[in-house]
């Protein structure tokens, strides 16, 4: 059962999402919040697998709440059944060109969905994120990053930082990271690099650990900042 925390200041939106997700046999809404400041306590109380997070809210907005939530250290021994990781975050927004989306992705959100997305696709997005898959297609990811990064200051600083991060990886890990940045699946990466899928998964896990990242979307952002192809 996938446990969901809904975070939105509009009670009608929360009601609609609860009704929508309630129709899925493997999804259960365990709590709701109307402000980002309520998220930490509700996560501690209900241990959701995923948070559906609105961006614009009074008080603490969804961006600050996502940054705080994903910055929480894991509890327990890494890799053990006792390890408790922060829940995944799926951002809710009304505009696919919203410049705040990039900040949410950099903070560790696994992707975003528009509020007018068909119910079936929102349920599918929740399942994908919990399974460790970003919900943005490669084309949408690159378009979004390009839109919100165009003309913004600090691009050279981000590029230098990204190249420094990628220098921490071994040759094969960098190849896997670039492939992730191109939006390829584990199976596609395995075929391209003549590896097994479990080996690719191991490389991805090591990349996340070495670079202190949360998910594949953040790997893609680092690769994009570094120039895309290494």
């Amino acid at each position: 059962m996938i446990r969901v925390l809904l975070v939105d200041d509009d009670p009608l939106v929360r009601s609609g999402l609860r009704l929508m997700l309630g129709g899925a046999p493997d999804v259960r809404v365990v709590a709701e919040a109307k402000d980002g400041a309520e998220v930490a306590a509700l996560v501690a109380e209900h241990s959701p697998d995923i948070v559906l997070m609105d961006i614009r809210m009074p008080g603490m907005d969804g961006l600050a709440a996502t940054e705080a939530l994903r910055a929480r250290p894991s509890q327990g021994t890494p890799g053990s059944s006792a390890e408790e990781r922060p829940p995944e975050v799926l951002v809710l927004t009304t505009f696919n060109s919203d410049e705040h989306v990039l900040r949410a992705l950099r903070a560790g959100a696994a992707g975003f969905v528009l509020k007018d997305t068909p119910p079936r696709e929102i349920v599918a997005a929740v399942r994908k994120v919990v399974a460790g898959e970003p919900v943005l297609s490669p084309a949408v990811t690159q378009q979004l990053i390009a839109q919100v990064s165009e003309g913004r200051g600090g691009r050279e600083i981000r590029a230098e930082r990204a190249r420094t991060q990628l220098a921490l990886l071994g040759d094969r890990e960098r190849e896997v990271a670039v492939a992730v940045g191109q939006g390829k699946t584990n199976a596609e990466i395995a075929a391209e690099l003549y590896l097994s899928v479990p080996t690719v998964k191991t490389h991805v896990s090591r990349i996340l650990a070495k670079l202190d990242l949360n998910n594949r979307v953040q790997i893609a952002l680092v690769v994009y900042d570094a120039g895309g192809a290494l």
Side-chain angles (χ1 to χ4, degrees), residues 10 26 34 49 88 91 96 101 152 158 189 206-207:
D10 189 334
D26 57 337
K34 62 181 181 298
D49 301 300
E88 299 293 346
V91 172
N96 63 358
V101 171
R152 296 185 63 180
R158 289 199 304 272
I189 297 171
R206 288 175 178 169
I207 292 167

Side-chain angles (χ1 to χ4, degrees), residues 69-135:
L69 180 61
R70 295 301 298 175
R72 292 176 56 198
S74 300
Q75 303 295 319
T77 303
S80 70
S81 59
E83 182 184 15
E84 295 182 10
R85 297 180 59 82
E88 299 293 346
V89 176
L90 185 58
V91 172
L92 292 166
T93 184
T94 53
F95 304 102
N96 63 358
S97 60
D98 193 323
E99 66 177 13
H100 297 308
V101 171
L102 182 63
R103 178 180 159 194
L105 296 178
R106 291 190 186 281
F112 78 98
V113 291
L114 301 179
K115 288 185 177 180
D116 61 357
T117 298
R120 181 180 301 178
E121 293 182 21
I122 291 183
V123 173
V126 167
R127 290 174 178 144
K128 286 182 178 180
V129 167
V130 172
E133 303 175 30
V135 299

